């Protein structure tokens, strides 16, 4: 049976279990002299959880194991003796067998056409076997839970503990995913730093991975120009656009705009956050970049290029305006209205109230919005790939070309370079450095928020 159909079947059994458990609890409540400890619906949820969760875990595990079992069945078939012993061709034939069994009619290997029915038959056999086991498991566990439903049974406590465990697992998945990303970056970065000294990488001022001296690979892998370009484009130019416009729009929408204006203007502003970054990249490369180049030429920069730090930074700043505006809007709106009214009652003007009362009170949320925007800007890829140059320069001139860490990671991981070469492994070192910078940025921001947070009744 198809795994998705099996999931729907298990879900249907869960609904039936919930109804039967609820009905049994209701009968106990009507017949017993004592009141039910938990509501009938909570008893039904308890029975449904025992029916669904073990079967669901088995279905997921079985769907992972089934392809391997079907492949083993194929390898035991008489036709499989013609397969190559090892190597790329053997894997290609087996992949084609799976594709043909799934309904594909294309292929290059006649042997795959002979083995596909074997794989399909084995998949169906193990599919129906898994279906039978899942149904038996659901009925057995559901029956066990059904027998425990009584008037004094604490079903609510069991359900709440299960929900709390599910929330804990969801939190751990997020934490473990972050840990896995960090460890994968760390492992590959250690391989890179075994070839290139850390000091050469972090403090070197020449970045030219196309020309690497095997005797001294660190001489051309200095990442200072990349760090400067990332900071200059994402944390300076983009923030000079996003912070003023985002904060001023939030102040206008919360303090000056009429409700009708706010009702349509706020969603329009937040649409900017839903525009794909590749669209921003096209806009920067085809519209903003040439316009900035013309302005630079008119100002006397003869060799100005459309791929400048200013074009990428401006478009990136426009992209992250909603991050600053939305967080600042929510933070200002959350300040107790009594504080605003009290300030106005004391004779302060609206602008003085905003500057001296509302903004200090909403500072933690504003800082959080700026932090989110900076993190988003530092990690942006498509805009800098399409609008920024690959030239690694340390310059304060926004009309000159600059590059970022994310742009270089894309360049290093595309192509036909060996995976264990310093050039390719440098991408992981850049990713680890960017990860650590963002992590430290979050710590600093949390310190700032904690220092200036105020509690209001």
């Amino acid at each position: 049976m198809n795994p998705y159909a099996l999931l729907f079947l298990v879900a249907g059994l869960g609904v039936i279990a919930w109804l039967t458990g609820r009905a049994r609890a209701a009968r106990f409540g009507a017949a017993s002299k004592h009141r039910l400890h938990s509501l009938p619906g909570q008893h039904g949820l308890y029975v449904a959880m025992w029916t669904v969760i073990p079967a669901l875990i088995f279905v997921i595990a079985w769907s992972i194991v089934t392809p391997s079992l079907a492949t083993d069945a194929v390898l035991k078939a008489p036709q499989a003796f013609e397969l190559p012993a090892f190597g790329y061709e053997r894997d290609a034939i087996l992949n084609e067998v799976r594709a043909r069994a799934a309904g594909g009619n294309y292929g290059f290997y006649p042997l795959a056409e002979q083995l596909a029915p074997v794989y399909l038959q084995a998949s169906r056999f193990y599919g129906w076997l898994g279906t039978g086991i899942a149904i038996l498991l659901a009925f057995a566990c559901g029956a066990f839970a059904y027998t425990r439903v009584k008037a004094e049974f604490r079903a609510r406590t069991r359900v709440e503990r299960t929900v709390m465990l599910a929330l804990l697992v969801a939190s751990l998945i997020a934490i473990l995913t972050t840990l896995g990303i960090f460890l994968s970056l760390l492992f590959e970065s250690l391989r890179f730093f075994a070839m290139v000294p850390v000091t050469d990488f972090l403090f070197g001022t020449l970045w030219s991975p196309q020309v690497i001296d095997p005797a001294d690979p660190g001489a051309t892998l200095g990442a200072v120009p990349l760090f400067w370009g990332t900071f200059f484009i994402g944390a300076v130019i983009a923030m000079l656009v996003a912070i003023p416009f985002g904060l001023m729009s939030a102040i206008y929408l919360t303090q000056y705009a009429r409700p009708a204006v706010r009702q349509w203007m706020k969603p329009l502003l937040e649409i900017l956050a839903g525009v794909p970054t590749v669209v921003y990249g096209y806009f920067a490369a085809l519209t903003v970049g040439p316009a900035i180049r013309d302005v630079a030429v008119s100002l006397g920069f003869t060799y100005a290029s459309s791929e400048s730090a200013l074009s990428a930074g401006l478009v990136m700043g426009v992209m992250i305006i909603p991050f600053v505006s939305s967080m600042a809007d929510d933070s200002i709106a959350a300040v107790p209205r009594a504080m605003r009214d009290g300030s106005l009652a004391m004779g302060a003007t609206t602008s003085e109230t905003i500057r001296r009362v509302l903004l200090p009170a909403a500072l933690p949320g504003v800082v959080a919005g700026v932090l989110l925007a900076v993190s988003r800007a530092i990690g942006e890829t498509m805009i800098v790939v399409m609008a920024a140059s690959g030239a690694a320069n340390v310059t304060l001139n926004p009309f000159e070309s600059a590059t970022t860490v994310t742009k270089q990671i894309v360049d290093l991981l595309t192509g036909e370079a060996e995976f264990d070469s310093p050039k390719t492994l440098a991408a992981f070192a850049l990713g680890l450095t960017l990860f650590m910078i963002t992590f430290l940025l979050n710590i600093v921001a949390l310190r700032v928020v904690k220092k200036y947070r105020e509690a209001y009744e």
Side-chain angles (χ1 to χ4, degrees), residues 186-418:
L186 180 63
F187 176 75
E188 300 296 339
S189 298
L190 290 177
R191 295 177 58 193
F192 172 76
F193 289 127
M195 307 175 187
V196 177
V198 179
T199 53
D200 291 351
F201 175 76
L202 293 179
F203 303 107
T205 57
L206 176 60
W207 178 263
S208 181
Q210 292 78 17
V211 183
I212 297 179
D213 183 5
D216 187 15
T220 56
L221 291 177
V224 168
L226 310 186
F227 299 148
W228 170 252
T230 302
F231 173 78
F232 189 49
I233 294 175
V236 176
I237 299 176
M239 289 301 105
L240 288 177
V241 176
I243 293 177
F245 285 100
L247 191 57
M248 287 189 292
S249 62
I251 291 173
Y252 172 76
L253 291 176
T254 56
Q255 303 301 317
Y256 294 103
R258 297 192 302 271
V261 176
R262 174 182 169 85
Q263 186 175 5
W264 64 264
M265 192 170 180
K266 184 174 173 61
L268 286 178
L269 181 64
E270 294 181 348
I271 285 177
L272 290 174
V275 177
T277 56
V278 67
V279 176
Y280 283 111
Y282 275 119
F283 178 65
L286 302 179
T287 304
V288 178
I292 291 177
R293 179 196 57 203
D294 295 340
V295 172
V297 171
S298 65
L299 293 176
F301 296 93
T302 308
Y303 302 103
S305 172
S306 60
E307 294 180 335
S308 62
L310 185 59
S311 62
L314 285 178
V315 177
M316 193 182 299
V318 172
M319 180 192 69
I320 59 180
I321 284 176
F323 293 92
V324 179
S325 175
S326 181
M327 293 291 290
D329 186 311
D330 296 339
S331 300
I332 294 174
V335 176
R337 186 172 181 83
M339 296 183 63
R340 179 179 183 275
D341 294 342
S343 175
L344 295 175
M346 294 294 292
T349 63
T350 302
S351 61
E352 291 173 338
T353 300
I354 294 171
R355 187 173 65 255
R356 298 184 179 183
V357 177
L358 297 182
L359 286 182
L363 184 63
V366 174
V367 171
V370 172
L371 167 66
L372 179 63
V374 171
S375 301
R376 183 69 179 83
I378 289 177
E380 173 55 34
T381 304
M382 286 307 302
I383 292 177
V384 294
V385 167
M386 302 179 69
S389 171
N393 298 320
V394 180
T395 177
L396 287 173
N397 186 357
F399 296 109
E400 292 187 8
S401 300
T403 190
T404 64
V405 170
T406 53
K407 170 72 166 62
Q408 291 301 313
I409 290 176
V410 172
D411 292 343
L412 293 172
L413 293 180
T414 53
E416 298 180 356
E418 296 181 1

Side-chain angles (χ1 to χ4, degrees), residues 101-182:
N105 295 321
Y106 57 90
F108 303 97
Y109 301 99
L111 182 59
E113 186 177 359
Q114 301 176 21
L115 293 175
V118 180
Y119 185 90
L120 182 60
Q121 183 179 2
S123 297
R124 289 175 176 174
F125 170 75
Y126 288 115
W128 284 109
L129 178 63
T131 301
I133 296 175
I135 293 174
L136 290 176
L137 185 63
F139 273 111
C141 295
F144 167 75
Y146 183 82
T147 58
R148 302 190 68 184
V149 174
K150 297 179 181 179
E152 65 276 6
F153 182 68
R154 299 176 178 269
R156 182 182 64 185
T157 304
R158 305 298 178 89
V159 171
E160 289 177 351
R161 287 179 179 176
T162 305
V163 172
M164 184 175 64
L165 180 62
L167 296 175
L168 177 61
V169 170
S171 302
L172 289 177
I173 289 175
I175 295 173
L176 292 177
T177 301
T178 304
L179 181 62
I181 294 173
F182 173 74

